[in-house]
Amino acid sequence: MEKNGRLQTESQTESQTESQHEDDGRGKWSGNLDFLLSCVGYAVSITNIWRFPYLCYKNGGGAFLIPYVIFLVICVLPLIFIEYALGQFSSSGVLTVWKISPLLKGIGYGTLLASAIYCTYVNVIISWVLYFLYQSFTSVLPWSHCNNEWNTINCHDVHNHSSGIQNGTVYDSSFGIQNGTLTSNATKKTASEEFWTHKVLKITDGIENIGGIRLELLICLFIAWLIVFLCLCKGIKSSGKVVYVTVTFPYIVLLIFLVRAVTLPGAIDGIKFMFIPKWNKLLSSQVWGEAALQIFFSTAVGWGGYITFASFNRFNHNLYREAILVPFINGGTSILAGFIAFCILGYMANVKGMQVAEVVDQGPGLAFVAYPEAISTFPVSPLWAVLFFLMMLTLGIDTQFGTIETVHSALVDEYPKLLRNRKTLFMTTICCVGFLSGIPYVMNGGIYILQTVDWYVGLIAPMIAAIMECILIGWIY
């Protein structure tokens, strides 16, 4: 009787606790699939498309995959479970959750600040995607040839090996002739590269020369923030439904590109480059360090998004499935995207008569130079371009959902009396501030600022936050 009474009391206590969490005014996911897809969308981002293939190429192909998978299993998987459990148990955002140790609440503020800065420049990348998407709705892709007003005499058209006239100047695909001066092959740039630098960015020669505002990119930035606002204005109830489209669509496009990529001439060279490891690279600390940085950045550990998403779960939700699925889906997506990228890079090397190692560029270059150049060679290339940049758009928007919801929920939980009944107005304020903060990035020299911020905020800050989380929970709490 005593045992039954104790069990009944514990059951009542659990029921009361769950009821309190249900009535906390924060809202809950409509279903478990909403939560899973939102976490996948948050983790799988544009970085899976361009940063992972570049780092894999730079660090010895298969030799990079080994530490990448090791860090995924022994570091990221348990960290995601910790963040899930912490958010679900506390039903709190990244600020109020640290009431478990008020002395170290600075972790929450650091995470919040990093997420706020991150969302300002991710939307700039989305604005680039929107601009490319707009330019794709044409019969002939503008980055597929050198006969545009922004092209220079050094433009090298890899698809047309005959001479031509460009802007009234004799143009040859192997050498450029202007005013009787012969330019060397070393200064040649592809049509897609000149489109990126001279048309999209109109880039300056350095960060010290910031230039003016790119009006077209400013308009695209506004549209990007408008899309984010419309998807998040109703909170997780609206974003939880949008992810059914934005998460599944990229995988459909990736599978289409996979079928196309493996049939390209020279694709096997890229595949060999990716999977045949250079074993001596494993002796380099740089390979292990960059693998750790990439897996932390790619899976979004330490950003606070998982804590935020899990805080909207039912108190007794079984989160083991998501804690295992999300990191492996993310890692698998990176490897799939890398496989496709190296197939395309092998094809580009075949077309140019170069080594695969000479084709890849770092940072945005892979997504906005190499991919468009390869797509321009496909049959019905505008269709492929539209599909690719729609995929990039959905990947970026998914990540923004989680990042902005992290900032929004953290501040609402911290100041409930002021903000909880003004969620839509507060979301409007966040989007307006984010838009204004993104203006420096869409100036002529804005990409220099973006790459600097991306390195110090995007790569280093989350890893420090994750380490501090482990110390706090494991040795203090």
Side-chain angles (χ1 to χ4, degrees), residues 68 71-72 76 290-301 330-331:
Y68 184 84
F71 285 125
L72 172 66
V76 169
E290 292 193 348
L293 288 172
Q294 173 60 19
I295 193 64
F296 272 78
F297 185 79
S298 176
T299 53
V301 171
N330 179 273

Side-chain angles (χ1 to χ4, degrees), residues 278-350:
K278 296 177 175 60
W279 295 106
N280 62 308
K281 290 281 189 177
L282 286 175
L283 301 177
S284 171
S285 60
Q286 178 182 337
V287 175
W288 291 83
E290 292 193 348
L293 288 172
Q294 173 60 19
I295 193 64
F296 272 78
F297 185 79
S298 176
T299 53
V301 171
W303 287 100
Y306 296 125
I307 294 176
T308 301
F309 283 154
S311 70
F312 298 116
N313 278 336
R314 310 287 175 180
F315 184 72
N316 62 350
H317 172 73
N318 189 337
L319 50 80
Y320 286 101
R321 179 185 61 184
E322 289 87 356
I324 294 174
L325 283 177
V326 170
F328 279 106
I329 290 175
N330 179 273
T333 303
S334 291
I335 294 174
L336 173 62
F339 184 87
I340 296 171
F342 277 94
C343 287
I344 293 176
L345 293 170
Y347 164 70
M348 292 178 62
N350 179 271

Side-chain angles (χ1 to χ4, degrees), residues 358-381:
E358 299 172 358
V359 177
V360 181
D361 190 15
Q362 63 173 312
L366 182 57
F368 297 104
V369 175
Y371 279 112
E373 183 176 330
I375 289 170
S376 67
T377 67
F378 292 175
V380 199
S381 55

Side-chain angles (χ1 to χ4, degrees), residues 13 46 65 84 124 142-143 178 220 288 290 302 318 326 347 395 397:
T13 302
I46 293 176
L65 295 178
Y84 277 160
V124 175
W143 58 81
Q178 187 173 23
C220 291
W288 291 83
E290 292 193 348
N318 189 337
V326 170
Y347 164 70
L395 288 173
I397 290 294

Side-chain angles (χ1 to χ4, degrees), residues 79-152:
L79 276 169
I80 288 180
F81 180 77
I82 287 175
E83 292 193 352
Y84 277 160
L86 192 60
Q88 183 171 309
F89 179 76
S90 64
S91 288
S92 301
V94 295
L95 287 181
T96 52
V97 71
W98 300 114
K99 58 192 173 186
I100 62 175
S101 180
L103 183 64
L104 294 180
K105 192 174 182 179
I107 299 174
Y109 284 108
T111 300
L112 180 66
L113 181 60
S115 294
I117 295 174
Y118 177 71
C119 70
T120 61
Y121 73 80
V122 166
N123 251 20
V124 175
I125 299 176
I126 295 174
S127 71
W128 297 339
V129 172
L130 287 171
Y131 187 79
F132 270 89
L133 182 62
Y134 168 73
Q135 294 287 340
S136 300
F137 288 97
T138 179
S139 57
V140 179
L141 294 174
W143 58 81
S144 63
H145 59 86
C146 291
N147 297 320
N148 302 293
E149 60 180 359
W150 59 82
N151 291 128
T152 68

Side-chain angles (χ1 to χ4, degrees), residues 227-297:
I227 293 173
V228 169
F229 170 76
L230 293 176
C231 293
L232 290 176
C233 62
K234 298 298 182 181
I236 61 168
K237 296 294 183 182
S238 56
S239 65
K241 301 306 178 187
V242 174
V243 294
Y244 281 84
V245 176
T246 58
V247 171
T248 55
F249 178 75
Y251 288 99
I252 296 174
V253 176
L254 282 174
L255 290 176
I256 294 173
F257 267 87
L258 176 65
V259 174
R260 172 59 181 165
V262 295
T263 61
L264 293 171
I268 189 65
D269 296 328
I271 296 172
K272 289 179 179 178
F273 192 92
M274 178 178 180
F275 287 105
I276 298 178
K278 296 177 175 60
W279 295 106
N280 62 308
K281 290 281 189 177
L282 286 175
L283 301 177
S284 171
S285 60
Q286 178 182 337
V287 175
W288 291 83
E290 292 193 348
L293 288 172
Q294 173 60 19
I295 193 64
F296 272 78
F297 185 79

